[in-house]
């Protein structure tokens, strides 16, 4: 994983697990991770890799149910997808304070759609497409 503020790293989908393992070991309990990027850039794939790194059941895309919780040996991983929020005030119903309080890790896709209702990140990853359809750029900005 590039250091905070480092250059984007080009990764293949199968390398997401390596990045997720590294970040999982680095993050303290109660950490919040923002996952930003266009559709199809690997945010959910990274969330799946993170849940696998934690020893939890593989994450599903939470696009229809906005919040999924996964048990892992160290506690709960909460995975929130804000993509379908029409306005930031709808995030109030997601109970970010409660999720952040009980989760070992809180993963938030599309945090910009939740406005100021989403907790500040301990890690902020931005995903982007590359010219190679089998690779993605991952940049850690926080």
């Amino acid at each position: 994983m590039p250091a905070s503020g480092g250059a984007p790293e080009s990764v293949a989908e199968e390398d997401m697990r390596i990045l997720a393992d590294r970040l999982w070991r680095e993050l303290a309990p109660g950490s919040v991770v923002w996952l930003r990027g266009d559709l199809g850039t690997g945010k959910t794939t990274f969330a799946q890799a993170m849940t696998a790194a934690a020893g939890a059941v593989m994450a599903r895309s939470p696009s229809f149910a906005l919040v999924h919780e996964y048990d892992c040996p160290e506690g709960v991983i909460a995975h929130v997808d804000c993509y379908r929020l029409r306005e930031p005030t709808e995030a109030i119903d997601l109970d970010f304070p409660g999720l952040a309080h009980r989760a070992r890790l809180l993963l938030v896709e599309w945090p910009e759609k939740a406005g100021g209702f989403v907790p500040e990140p301990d890690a902020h990853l931005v995903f982007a497409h590359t010219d190679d359809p089998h690779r993605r750029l991952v940049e850690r900005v926080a």
Side-chain angles (χ1 to χ4, degrees), residues 3 20 28 33 41 50 52-53 57 73 78 84 114 132:
V33 178
T41 54
M50 186 66 87
V57 175
R84 290 189 8 210
D132 180 343

Side-chain angles (χ1 to χ4, degrees), residues 5 12 30 41 48 59 71 101 122 124 133 138:
T41 54
Q48 291 169 336
D71 291 320
H101 176 74
D122 298 288
H124 179 178
V138 181

Side-chain angles (χ1 to χ4, degrees), residues 28-131:
S31 292
V32 175
V33 178
W34 287 6
L35 305 174
R36 295 185 57 222
D38 292 333
L39 287 171
T41 54
K43 297 177 302 295
T44 298
T45 299
F46 186 84
Q48 291 169 336
M50 186 66 87
T51 57
V57 175
M58 293 295 278
R60 299 177 304 280
S61 175
S63 294
F64 295 103
L66 299 179
V67 178
H68 284 285
E69 294 186 27
Y70 304 97
D71 291 320
C72 71
E74 294 182 37
V76 171
I77 295 176
H79 179 201
V80 181
D81 187 334
C82 299
Y83 179 74
R84 290 189 8 210
L85 296 180
R86 292 179 303 260
E87 57 185 67
T89 56
E90 291 180 332
I92 294 170
D93 293 335
L94 298 176
D95 186 25
F96 277 111
L99 287 172
H101 176 74
R102 72 176 175 272
R104 158 61 173 87
L105 180 68
L106 175 57
L107 297 169
V108 183
E109 294 188 46
W110 300 94
E112 64 276 16
K113 290 186 168 261
F117 297 101
V118 64
E120 287 298 313
D122 298 288
H124 179 178
L125 305 178
V126 178
F127 297 79
H129 292 285
T130 68
D131 291 336

